Amino acid sequence: MLEGLERFAHAELEQRVGMRIRFLAAARPGTLRFSYGGDLAALLGLRSVVALYLVRRFDVPRPKALLGNQQFGELLEAIDAALGLAAPGAYETLRLSAAGEDSAVLARLKGQLAERLGLTVAADEGDLLLRLRRSAWEPGWEMLVRLTPRPLSVRPWRVCNLPGSLNATLAHAMMALTAPAASDVVLNVACGSGTLLIERLALSKARQAIGCDIDSSVLACAAENVRAAGFARDVRLERWDAGELPLPGESVDVVCADLPFGQLVGSHRENEALYPRIFAEAARVARPGARMALLTHELRLLERVAERFADQWEPQELIRARSGGMTPVVALYRRLGDRGQGTGDRGQGTGDRGQGTGDRDRDRGWEAGGGQGFEAPSPKPHAPSPTPQSPSPKAHVPSPKPQVPRPNPQAPNFTSYRSWRSSATSSTATSAGLIPARRAAWPSVAGVKRTSTWRASLRSPRIAA
């Protein structure tokens, strides 16, 4: 899964399979290990993970032993479990990823697997992906077998892709953070290829879902994806300026945006003007208690702008994820009322963050590493909202040195927290998340979690070839 999003995966698994799953201690940060005794097909619709793997442990001293008759038969059994989940012809190539994968032993293993399965060995990407590594828990080696020909994060609805398009698993978590409700009016400014809108509607129906962008070609791409996802009648796409929306005031429940951050799209100078305009216009159209979820790499700029609008938007949560070698942040805000107190419920993340317990399996496991249309509010002409002026500087009061409590035994196993700001002095693990000792502006911060997979273990009888 993407680093930083473990709790969303934990919650989705509990929601989908409930009592049939038992979470185990994770061997690596950013990994969920769990035992599962239900139908594997029920896991293939997960939206919060990048990939799902079956884990098979072999009690052997070195990979060469996998060529033995018994071990090779057990490996084929695990592979057959994955192949049986896909349509005929879905697998054509095989890839074995391991340290020393070009060695004579692993080359022989790949060749024998390819011959037995009728597949072609691939140099880079393969439909059947195998990962070989040393077991983190017990002596021996683990073989991870991906259960799908493509990662779960590669959505079938993405028929049009744009440079810098948002990772779908990150979009899923971002919209889950807004506490979706069927009564929501959702506005996605700078909607791009439509990822946020599609992932929001996949979570829950919405009374209205509106996406806007100033680029007509981008809107055309979003329309293709929305149609492929089956939401063509549920989404309205408009060519609007995010800073001058033709919507009435206090008409929107959720505002979301994958903001440009000056790499593939936009520039820092442009963002210095754009971000305040988005905050101001979102404050105008948002109802008291509305939620706003923003994603960006420009954290310092986002914080500066948020401070200017502190009387309108209250920060709720900040999550740092790792996606494609980058570490964007997702910031959640709540619209305050006229007197600085919002009337709506706060958008909260999904699911408990507690980690289940259970015995470690010794043989086999899993690892995961994702009608009628509505009318939009009647447009009302209005003059562009002036950009709020920065408040007068305030004296800086240094924060007291944080007290570090005892570790919480119920906290999930991703307490390894790498400082996401050089100014952070320490962090503490709590049942609600990891809270960095920074400034009081962020009441709760989800900890950094790793881009990875999940695992689950499941005992099954061994077979011989």
Side-chain angles (χ1 to χ4, degrees):
M1 70 198 67
L2 294 182
E3 179 178 333
L5 307 183
E6 288 88 342
R7 66 182 170 112
F8 298 97
H10 190 287
E12 187 183 13
L13 275 168
E14 286 191 328
Q15 180 183 16
R16 282 181 177 267
V17 297
M19 299 299 294
R20 290 173 293 171
I21 192 170
R22 183 179 60 187
F23 291 95
L24 308 174
R28 296 167 177 81
T31 298
L32 287 183
R33 295 182 72 241
F34 56 91
S35 63
Y36 175 65
D39 184 7
L40 288 180
L43 301 176
L44 302 185
L46 292 170
R47 309 185 74 86
S48 57
V49 304
V50 172
L52 185 70
Y53 292 84
L54 168 65
V55 179
R56 186 77 170 201
R57 192 186 72 83
F58 297 91
D59 189 10
V60 295
R62 56 185 61 87
K64 183 177 180 179
L66 298 178
L67 294 167
N69 195 43
Q70 178 177 332
Q71 287 77 14
F72 193 78
E74 293 175 5
L75 177 55
L76 286 176
E77 178 193 22
I79 293 174
D80 285 341
L83 299 183
L85 298 173
Y91 289 88
E92 296 181 355
T93 58
L94 176 151
R95 165 79 194 283
L96 175 60
S97 175
E101 60 187 80
D102 295 327
S103 67
V105 169
L106 294 185
R108 182 182 169 192
L109 179 60
K110 287 185 287 187
Q112 290 192 12
L113 287 171
E115 180 180 0
R116 182 67 68 91
L117 300 169
L119 303 177
T120 302
V121 176
D124 296 319
E125 295 296 328
D127 300 325
L128 176 60
L129 177 60
L130 308 175
R131 299 173 58 195
L132 178 65
R133 67 190 186 191
R134 287 188 179 274
S135 174
W137 297 105
E138 298 169 285
W141 293 78
E142 290 179 340
M143 182 68 81
L144 284 68
V145 182
R146 192 173 67 189
L147 294 182
T148 52
R150 293 289 179 269
L152 294 178
S153 59
V154 179
R155 302 289 200 252
W157 54 256
R158 193 178 290 282
V159 295
C160 179
N161 199 17
L162 296 173
S165 291
L166 181 60
N167 181 287
T169 56
L170 181 53
H172 165 87
M174 186 172 168
M175 298 315 298
L177 201 62
T178 66
S183 59
D184 286 341
V185 175
V186 181
L187 173 64
N188 180 195
V189 297
C191 67
S193 60
T195 306
L196 284 171
L197 289 169
I198 295 170
E199 292 300 316
R200 167 58 183 83
L201 292 175
L203 282 166
S204 165
K205 291 183 178 179
R207 181 154 57 97
Q208 299 169 28
I210 308 168
C212 68
D213 205 289
I214 59 173
D215 190 330
S216 57
S217 64
V218 167
L219 291 172
C221 179
E224 291 185 44
N225 289 331
V226 167
R227 281 194 298 270
F231 296 129
R233 301 185 63 184
D234 303 318
V235 174
R236 179 178 178 179
L237 298 172
E238 298 288 351
R239 190 178 180 185
W240 292 345
D241 183 348
E244 295 184 35
L245 300 169
L247 295 174
E250 298 188 2
S251 60
V252 173
D253 300 291
V254 176
V255 179
C256 59
D258 175 12
L259 298 174
F261 43 84
Q263 293 188 4
L264 294 176
V265 180
S267 67
H268 177 73
R269 183 179 296 275
E270 292 172 345
N271 291 343
E272 287 181 321
L274 175 64
Y275 285 23
R277 294 183 69 225
I278 290 178
F279 265 78
E281 189 65 349
R284 184 187 69 80
V285 302
R287 295 188 178 101
R291 294 88 70 198
M292 180 168 67
L294 303 176
L295 182 142
T296 184
H297 279 268
E298 293 251 40
L299 177 57
R300 293 182 181 179
L301 174 59
L302 183 69
E303 287 183 324
R304 290 199 303 270
V305 174
E307 287 176 357
R308 293 170 56 183
F309 291 87
D311 60 336
Q312 297 173 311
W313 291 106
E314 179 185 35
Q316 300 290 288
E317 189 164 2
L318 186 72
I319 298 175
R320 189 155 199 159
R322 183 176 294 277
S323 175
M326 309 180 76
T327 52
V329 293
V330 176
L332 179 69
Y333 301 88
R334 182 175 63 92
R335 181 68 170 93
L336 297 173
D338 293 338
R339 291 186 295 274
Q341 295 180 352
T343 58
D345 294 335
R346 296 188 178 187
Q348 299 294 336
T350 60
D352 295 336
R353 303 185 63 175
Q355 178 183 347
T357 60
D359 296 332
R360 292 197 291 266
D361 181 76
R362 296 178 181 273
D363 296 314
R364 179 174 175 174
W366 312 96
E367 179 169 312
Q372 183 176 359
F374 300 102
E375 294 184 359
S378 302
K380 292 185 179 180
H382 69 281
S385 301
T387 302
Q389 299 298 317
S390 301
S392 57
K394 297 181 180 181
H396 173 69
V397 179
S399 302
K401 185 176 181 180
Q403 299 296 320
V404 180
R406 298 176 180 176
N408 185 349
Q410 300 301 321
N413 188 26
F414 41 81
T415 55
S416 175
Y417 179 63
R418 186 173 62 186
S419 173
W420 50 272
R421 287 292 301 276
S422 58
S423 60
T425 58
S426 67
S427 62
T428 61
T430 72
S431 60
L434 294 173
I435 306 177
R438 300 189 55 255
R439 59 178 67 183
W442 296 104
S444 64
V445 177
V448 175
K449 309 143 198 167
R450 304 275 172 136
T451 343
S452 59
T453 52
W454 345 14
R455 310 185 199 151
S457 47
L458 174 65
R459 185 180 300 276
S460 66
R462 297 184 178 183
I463 61 173

